[in-house]
Amino acid sequence: MKKTIFVLLGILAFQFAQAQDEDKVSVPANPMMESIRLANQLASYGYNNYSATALIEAAKILMSVPTQELIADSTQLSSSSENTKSSGRPDITVDRLLADAALWAGEDKHITDYLEDVKKEYSSISSGPSRGATGGPQSAISSVSAKDTDVWTVTFRGGSRAMVVVNGDGDTDLDLYVYDENGNLMGKDIDYSDYCVVSWTPRWTGPFTVKIINRGNVYNRYRIYTN
């Protein structure tokens, strides 16, 4: 129990540090997208600190979010070859989080029992009907080559708060820009990490251009989320 308390205190400290990042944009709350962001923060904490508990909690949060496959046009601006690498944070999915949590749980019966309960819950969800809600959060996985740019075209509804979140594999700096169909910049996130968030309110329904720029010397495998 004491171990779990220390883990949770560490997670809270990690979240506080994230909130102090002055380069991040101020993003209004969106329950489902906030859940995705929290899950990614917990997963990052878990992988950085070899915490099975944090990975399990991240998996539980993702289990509660009904994401769909992102259907959007995407291109890469250049044809540069991808650099090989052996590092990189694993893609944050429920299956991967639970598998890695099992590796780090060790002989701690409290954690292993909790992990088994979560696995059973996930199994019942996975075997049931699709949870994808029309118009809800969507996501996709892609890779952007070194010094290259991925371009996505995504349609957002006018008058509703829009959000794009990008979470990379940890190896390079990614920058995120969003433009309307007239080339006007809606927002950007250009700090020195590969976790990016842009939020804005479209004045009309239409296509928006999402640019993800890799500033590093190796490719970055990332997941993009939209609401």
Side-chain angles (χ1 to χ4, degrees), residues 44-63:
S44 294
Y45 175 89
Y47 283 115
N48 289 336
N49 295 275
Y50 302 96
S51 169
T53 303
L55 297 188
I56 296 170
E57 293 302 326
K60 279 183 64 66
I61 293 173
L62 287 182
M63 284 162 51

Side-chain angles (χ1 to χ4, degrees), residues 3-194:
K3 183 178 181 180
T4 300
I5 292 174
F6 283 127
V7 168
L8 293 177
L9 287 174
I11 292 170
L12 289 174
F14 177 80
Q15 289 178 273
F16 179 79
Q18 289 281 336
Q20 302 309 305
D21 187 346
E22 296 180 355
D23 291 327
K24 290 291 183 187
V25 294
S26 176
V27 181
N30 176 299
M32 287 185 286
M33 295 298 283
E34 286 299 313
S35 292
I36 290 172
R37 178 159 58 173
L38 176 58
N40 278 276
Q41 290 176 346
L42 282 169
S44 294
Y45 175 89
Y47 283 115
N48 289 336
N49 295 275
Y50 302 96
S51 169
T53 303
L55 297 188
I56 296 170
E57 293 302 326
K60 279 183 64 66
I61 293 173
L62 287 182
M63 284 162 51
S64 70
V65 180
T67 56
Q68 307 171 81
E69 186 67 22
L70 174 62
I71 301 175
D73 294 331
S74 65
T75 58
Q76 195 161 93
L77 291 188
S78 77
S79 57
S80 60
S81 60
E82 295 196 345
N83 308 78
T84 58
K85 63 179 182 179
S86 58
S87 59
R89 185 171 52 234
D91 181 46
I92 298 174
T93 63
V94 174
D95 290 318
R96 185 59 184 265
L97 289 168
L98 294 180
D100 289 341
L103 293 175
W104 295 342
E107 301 299 323
D108 190 318
K109 190 175 187 321
H110 293 291
I111 296 179
T112 55
D113 287 349
Y114 183 38
L115 176 60
E116 288 306 311
D117 288 341
V118 174
K119 284 182 177 180
K120 290 177 183 177
E121 181 183 354
Y122 181 52
S123 179
S124 65
I125 292 173
S126 301
S127 61
S130 173
R131 298 180 303 133
T134 301
Q138 299 179 329
S139 70
I141 300 173
S142 187
S143 294
V144 56
S145 299
K147 306 297 183 182
D148 212 341
T149 302
D150 273 7
V151 180
W152 295 78
T153 303
V154 185
T155 299
F156 289 95
R157 290 191 299 270
S160 298
R161 197 68 181 169
M163 186 181 294
V164 177
V165 175
V166 172
N167 190 56
D169 64 16
D171 276 349
T172 69
D173 172 25
L174 296 181
D175 289 340
L176 172 65
Y177 298 81
V178 179
Y179 301 87
D180 68 13
E181 56 192 308
N182 297 316
N184 299 307
L185 180 65
M186 297 292 98
K188 62 183 179 180
D189 189 337
I190 55 173
D191 68 0
Y192 295 102
S193 76
D194 62 352

